[in-house]
Amino acid sequence: MLHQGQSGPLTFLRESDRAVGKRQSRLTVASDLSLMIQIQRWFEDFCLQQPRLAHWSDDRLYCLKLAIAEGFSNAVRHAHRHRSLETPIDVELSLEGDRLEIRIWDLGHPFNPELVPEPEPGTLRQGGYGWFLLRRLCDRVTYQRDSQGRNCLLLEQSIEES
């Protein structure tokens, strides 16, 4: 499905479901922060269609929507900073066993999350909280580069009742 966005012809959304039961879904978007709300709605719609996630609270959904927003905005503002708005970012959702996996793929330069310092308690600074925030919003966060030169931010959340 292809939709024109509100910001003109450079903004696009394309969704493809790889499994009949919608246990997996993929969305390709332009590097455009104005698409954030549409991405979060797509994620929420996916979750609401999953019987295995019916017990999730609004708070849990909100935390994961915030994690997706942080991951997507980092891809746009950092990885794709010097790239065209047309540069695609793929977002993939997958129910795998006892967890929901969210993958955000970008084409930017890789970074080493181990070099991102933890914010010091009681201090304020501009920026630098994204990786810290992601690790508190999700059960597991990993970042890696594939052999095709794409970066993948993987966010994992247990689907078990807590």
Side-chain angles (χ1 to χ4, degrees):
M1 183 181 320
L2 184 65
H3 301 281
Q4 286 297 90
Q6 297 172 330
S7 62
L10 296 179
T11 303
F12 63 92
L13 289 174
R14 184 173 60 241
E15 179 180 1
S16 62
D17 293 319
R18 295 181 292 176
V20 174
K22 287 201 171 207
R23 292 175 45 92
Q24 297 177 329
S25 190
R26 179 175 178 225
L27 184 70
T28 298
V29 296
S31 297
D32 184 347
L33 289 175
S34 71
L35 296 173
M36 186 81 67
I37 299 293
Q38 291 169 290
I39 295 166
Q40 290 177 315
R41 284 186 188 140
W42 165 78
F43 170 74
E44 187 170 5
D45 288 346
F46 175 86
C47 290
L48 293 174
Q49 293 173 15
Q50 305 304 319
R52 294 174 62 199
L53 305 181
H55 65 278
W56 275 11
S57 67
D58 288 343
D59 287 344
R60 182 177 272 187
L61 272 177
Y62 175 80
C63 286
L64 291 174
K65 285 170 35 178
L66 181 58
I68 288 172
E70 181 62 30
F72 176 72
S73 67
N74 281 343
V76 171
R77 290 184 299 114
H78 300 295
H80 290 184
R81 175 180 32 211
H82 300 297
R83 294 181 177 263
S84 162
L85 275 177
E86 294 175 319
T87 306
I89 296 173
D90 292 324
V91 184
E92 298 173 351
L93 307 175
S94 180
L95 283 173
E96 299 292 339
D98 64 347
R99 68 190 181 283
L100 172 68
E101 295 180 353
I102 303 163
R103 286 182 174 79
I104 301 174
W105 295 89
D106 70 64
L107 299 169
H109 292 291
F111 87 106
N112 184 347
E114 299 300 319
L115 299 178
V116 178
E118 289 279 323
E120 292 186 32
T123 63
L124 293 176
R125 65 181 187 201
Q126 185 174 350
Y129 292 96
W131 194 250
F132 173 80
L133 180 64
L134 287 172
R135 288 184 294 167
R136 272 124 193 103
L137 293 171
C138 302
D139 291 336
R140 184 169 178 243
V141 180
T142 58
Y143 175 88
Q144 62 186 357
R145 189 165 177 90
D146 72 8
S147 61
Q148 299 168 353
R150 298 185 319 154
N151 303 308
C152 181
L153 173 66
L154 172 59
L155 310 171
E156 295 182 55
Q157 182 65 47
S158 168
I159 61 173
E160 300 301 317
E161 292 188 52
S162 46

